[in-house]
Amino acid sequence: MALAIGSEKKGGERVTPKPTLKTISQLSGLAVPTVSRALNDAPDIGSKTKALVRQIANEIGYVPNRAGVRLRTGRTNVISLVLSTEHEMMNHTAKLITALAGGLNDTPFHMIMTPYFPHEDPMKPIRYIVETGSADAVVFNQIRPADPRVKYLMDRGFPFATHGRCKWSDKHAWFDYDNESYARFAVQELHRRGRKRLILIAPPQDQNYSIEMIRGATEAARECGIHLEVAKDVTSDGLVTEVRSKVAAIVAADPTIDGLITASANATMAAVAGMESEGFDVGLDIDVVAKEAIAFLTYFRSKIIVLNEDITLAGSFLAKAAIQAIRAPDDPPMQMLQVPEPFPR
């Protein structure tokens, strides 16, 4: 579709005026209110009309006036992804950002990132967003069982969605991976392979998904009649150097350990490096089970046993859940639990 916008002279130079809703209206033949509702993804506007309006808007470079939108609607059309800066390479954070941004594509909403540092109170960015009204909703992770951020947002009726669950999960939008099932499947697979002494490198135990993972692994180990130990003084979120040295010390102190379960790709690679530094081979001396968001670990060591965590699905779902929390706060919140498939026999 070839589109042209008229120009006008200012100070002797020909200047193309900034595209407006009226410009799109003139080019599409649609009324200005219809154009506005199409751009705002109104449910009563047909998908073909929305597609036409968005195509024209993209081609002419239309950008909504944020101040005007806020004045008219009270909204910013912004969803903030609140993330800690504490991460290591190969972290799935980048994939979550990409997926959430993709989930907001073809909607009037845009994503901004609001970081906070490990030494800071995680409530700080949440309070800032709510008190300044700088976003219409927030999405955040690293959820604790009684997460104060969740309580704060619920008390104020501010829209949000979490990557993970807490004790109030029946009351708000969330997406989560079934870490309890993952850990159970991991223990069962290691038992099937004849492994009897297992180590779990769990996430930080103040986070809900760590509690679920430890519970699943512990119950499965008891049912299988094998030994399981949760590694102390190290977590799957730790620096790779710390995980490497700790795992090396663990297997050196107890050479009978023959199975390892981890909660992140980072921790898996570091743990394998630590094992190998002590002369242990993956798949021969010790079997390693891991979950990952990006297919990589089996290229690193082909005998690592892997289950997938679909972060693309998580980001896309959280985007939709946050939008619903904004537009339909009285509707039941959107919730999804991704349950991994058992290891093939």
Side-chain angles (χ1 to χ4, degrees), residues 44 124 228 301:
D44 59 328
K124 180 180 176 181
L228 172 79
R301 293 293 183 274

Side-chain angles (χ1 to χ4, degrees), residues 114 135 193 236 326 335:
T114 305
R193 294 178 180 229
S236 59
I326 295 167
Q335 301 168 346

Side-chain angles (χ1 to χ4, degrees), residues 294-312:
I294 303 170
F296 175 82
L297 288 174
T298 53
Y299 294 102
F300 171 64
R301 293 293 183 274
S302 62
K303 293 185 179 179
I304 295 175
I305 307 160
V306 177
L307 281 182
N308 180 61
E309 181 175 4
D310 194 341
I311 298 300
T312 299

Side-chain angles (χ1 to χ4, degrees), residues 88-89 237-245 265-267 269-271:
E88 283 282 294
M89 65 175 184
D237 285 2
L239 296 173
V240 292
T241 51
E242 295 173 353
V243 177
R244 182 187 187 279
S245 61
N266 294 345
M269 293 186 290

Side-chain angles (χ1 to χ4, degrees), residues 20-81:
T20 64
L21 292 176
K22 187 176 180 180
T23 311
I24 302 174
S25 172
Q26 293 170 342
L27 293 169
S28 65
L30 299 168
V32 170
T34 302
V35 170
S36 177
R37 292 182 62 75
L39 289 172
N40 282 284
D41 202 28
D44 59 328
I45 304 297
S47 58
K48 289 184 178 179
T49 299
K50 291 178 183 177
L52 172 64
V53 169
R54 287 169 184 156
Q55 180 184 353
I56 294 172
N58 289 336
E59 291 190 9
I60 66 176
Y62 169 77
V63 178
N65 184 310
R66 295 272 171 222
V69 170
R70 188 162 188 171
L71 187 63
R72 291 193 308 273
T73 67
R75 292 179 180 170
T76 63
N77 280 356
V78 168
I79 293 175
S80 180
L81 177 60

Side-chain angles (χ1 to χ4, degrees), residues 15-336:
V15 179
T16 300
K18 180 180 178 180
T20 64
L21 292 176
K22 187 176 180 180
T23 311
I24 302 174
S25 172
Q26 293 170 342
L27 293 169
S28 65
L30 299 168
V32 170
T34 302
V35 170
S36 177
R37 292 182 62 75
L39 289 172
N40 282 284
D41 202 28
D44 59 328
I45 304 297
S47 58
K48 289 184 178 179
T49 299
K50 291 178 183 177
L52 172 64
V53 169
R54 287 169 184 156
Q55 180 184 353
I56 294 172
N58 289 336
E59 291 190 9
I60 66 176
Y62 169 77
V63 178
N65 184 310
R66 295 272 171 222
V69 170
R70 188 162 188 171
L71 187 63
R72 291 193 308 273
T73 67
R75 292 179 180 170
T76 63
N77 280 356
V78 168
I79 293 175
S80 180
L81 177 60
V82 179
L83 292 172
S84 170
T85 59
E86 184 177 12
H87 61 83
E88 283 282 294
M89 65 175 184
M90 295 300 298
N91 192 285
H92 64 202
T93 298
K95 194 161 187 177
L96 178 63
I97 294 168
T98 301
L100 187 64
L104 297 177
N105 195 29
D106 289 335
T107 78
F109 294 93
H110 296 262
M111 183 186 74
I112 63 171
M113 285 182 56
T114 305
Y116 65 95
F117 296 94
H119 64 275
E120 291 182 327
D121 180 358
M123 283 295 302
K124 180 180 176 181
I126 301 296
R127 287 196 190 98
Y128 175 84
I129 293 166
V130 173
E131 291 173 6
T132 62
S134 53
D136 297 329
V138 293
V139 176
F140 54 99
N141 61 2
Q142 296 183 336
I143 307 304
R144 299 178 180 180
D147 200 299
R149 297 169 296 178
V150 172
K151 184 70 164 58
Y152 173 86
L153 291 165
M154 288 195 306
D155 287 348
R156 283 153 184 79
F158 194 89
F160 70 99
T162 62
H163 190 197
R165 291 169 289 169
C166 69
K167 71 175 187 177
W168 299 296
S169 291
D170 59 319
K171 296 179 174 65
H172 67 83
W174 53 264
F175 181 98
D176 202 5
Y177 181 84
D178 190 347
N179 286 282
E180 184 172 348
S181 291
Y182 160 70
R184 175 177 293 277
F185 294 156
V187 170
Q188 290 172 345
E189 178 64 14
L190 291 170
H191 176 248
R192 188 182 73 83
R193 294 178 180 229
R195 303 305 188 178
K196 297 179 180 179
R197 294 186 60 81
L198 315 182
I199 292 290
L200 170 63
I201 310 295
Q205 293 187 33
D206 63 341
Q207 296 180 27
N208 196 64
Y209 83 115
S210 178
I211 296 170
E212 294 173 349
M213 189 177 294
I214 292 171
R215 181 171 60 241
T218 301
E219 290 178 356
R222 184 172 60 249
E223 292 165 3
C224 293
I226 58 179
H227 175 80
L228 172 79
E229 179 181 341
V230 180
K232 298 178 178 62
D233 304 322
V234 65
T235 75
S236 59
D237 285 2
L239 296 173
V240 292
T241 51
E242 295 173 353
V243 177
R244 182 187 187 279
S245 61
K246 185 63 178 179
V247 171
I250 290 172
V251 296
D254 185 358
T256 65
I257 291 171
D258 55 9
L260 177 73
I261 303 168
T262 70
S264 72
N266 294 345
T268 302
M269 293 186 290
V272 168
M275 290 161 34
E276 292 179 344
S277 71
E278 295 296 327
F280 291 79
D281 289 335
V282 176
L284 179 62
D285 304 305
I286 301 179
D287 275 316
V288 176
V289 180
K291 65 187 179 83
E292 63 180 359
I294 303 170
F296 175 82
L297 288 174
T298 53
Y299 294 102
F300 171 64
R301 293 293 183 274
S302 62
K303 293 185 179 179
I304 295 175
I305 307 160
V306 177
L307 281 182
N308 180 61
E309 181 175 4
D310 194 341
I311 298 300
T312 299
L313 175 63
S316 176
F317 185 89
L318 288 168
K320 293 178 176 63
I323 291 174
Q324 179 182 288
I326 295 167
R327 290 176 168 170
D330 295 328
D331 286 359
M334 291 179 62
Q335 301 168 346
M336 178 180 285

